[in-house]
Amino acid sequence: MSSTDSPQRLNAYGQPIGHDVPDWSPRPRPPRTPMLGRFCRVVPLDPAAHASALYALFAGAPDRRSWTYLVDDLPDTEAAYRERLERQAVGDDPLFHTILDAETGAPLGIASYLRIEPVHGVIEVGHLHFGPSLQRKPAATEAMALMMARAFDELGYRRYEWKCDSLNAPSRAAALRYGFTFEGIFRNAVIVKGRSRDTAWFSITDAEWPRLREAFQAWLAPENFDAGGHQRRSLAEIRR
């Protein structure tokens, strides 16, 4: 339960205070182990195994629009891209992962945990870059559900964040579709690629997660897809 939906508590001075968090202890950091689903696997980034396919995936896209709101651009060569991934793969925060097709093992995109705060139980998902074959596919939703489940169910975090450029309409729509709550805009938050960026903040709390988990499970169930692989009910319909 968050402080906004619990009865108001007052201290000895009549000041409102937040609810107690009994027996709280810092949460574990995310492990470097796979997360397995029906449509995809989310595994620690391995440049030796993933760089070539990821570079081909992004270089083969019709255009570079998927890079507009990212902090970097696609390098001119696969070697330069591999060097970038090698630097990213050794870090703990962000902790980068590759999203793989469950059947073929082909890399489909990248995601990471970042701004990891074990003391407060707060973790963010970001650095999302889905290749064309992952966008608007069940595997994309499953990958996000797997990462949420690790944060909440496996590690016991209290808050799961999503942030993006306030002008990135597809990212904002995705956050709402996945069940995040919009919290507001941080104006002039950062400078990215020489441009000013206002940042949109979204979150899910541990109190909200059980309902969202059930919705993800129902949406991803085989019976929710017809013979052509099209959804029968949307996530929003299921949550309602």
Side-chain angles (χ1 to χ4, degrees), residues 20 59 66 125 213 215:
D20 293 331
S66 68
V125 62
R213 178 180 56 212

Side-chain angles (χ1 to χ4, degrees), residues 30-36 41-51 54 85-86 88-92 94-100 105 107 109-113 147 150 154:
R32 293 179 181 270
T33 56
M35 293 167 267
L36 308 179
R41 292 183 287 132
V42 184
V43 303
L45 174 63
D46 181 351
H50 306 151
L54 285 171
L85 295 189
E86 288 171 348
Q88 294 173 336
V90 298
D92 293 323
L95 180 59
F96 279 88
H97 292 74
T98 305
I99 302 170
L100 306 177
I110 286 178
S112 78
Y113 292 120
M147 294 184 73
R150 167 156 289 180
E154 181 179 338

Side-chain angles (χ1 to χ4, degrees), residues 70-126:
L70 299 180
V71 298
D72 46 26
D73 290 305
L74 181 68
D76 293 331
T77 67
E78 180 184 320
Y81 184 65
R82 182 185 300 269
E83 290 178 1
R84 176 189 294 169
L85 295 189
E86 288 171 348
R87 293 192 300 270
Q88 294 173 336
V90 298
D92 293 323
D93 189 350
L95 180 59
F96 279 88
H97 292 74
T98 305
I99 302 170
L100 306 177
D101 183 277
E103 292 186 5
T104 67
L108 304 174
I110 286 178
S112 78
Y113 292 120
L114 68 155
R115 293 171 62 96
I116 304 166
E117 298 185 28
V119 170
H120 303 294
V122 178
I123 193 168
E124 179 181 344
V125 62

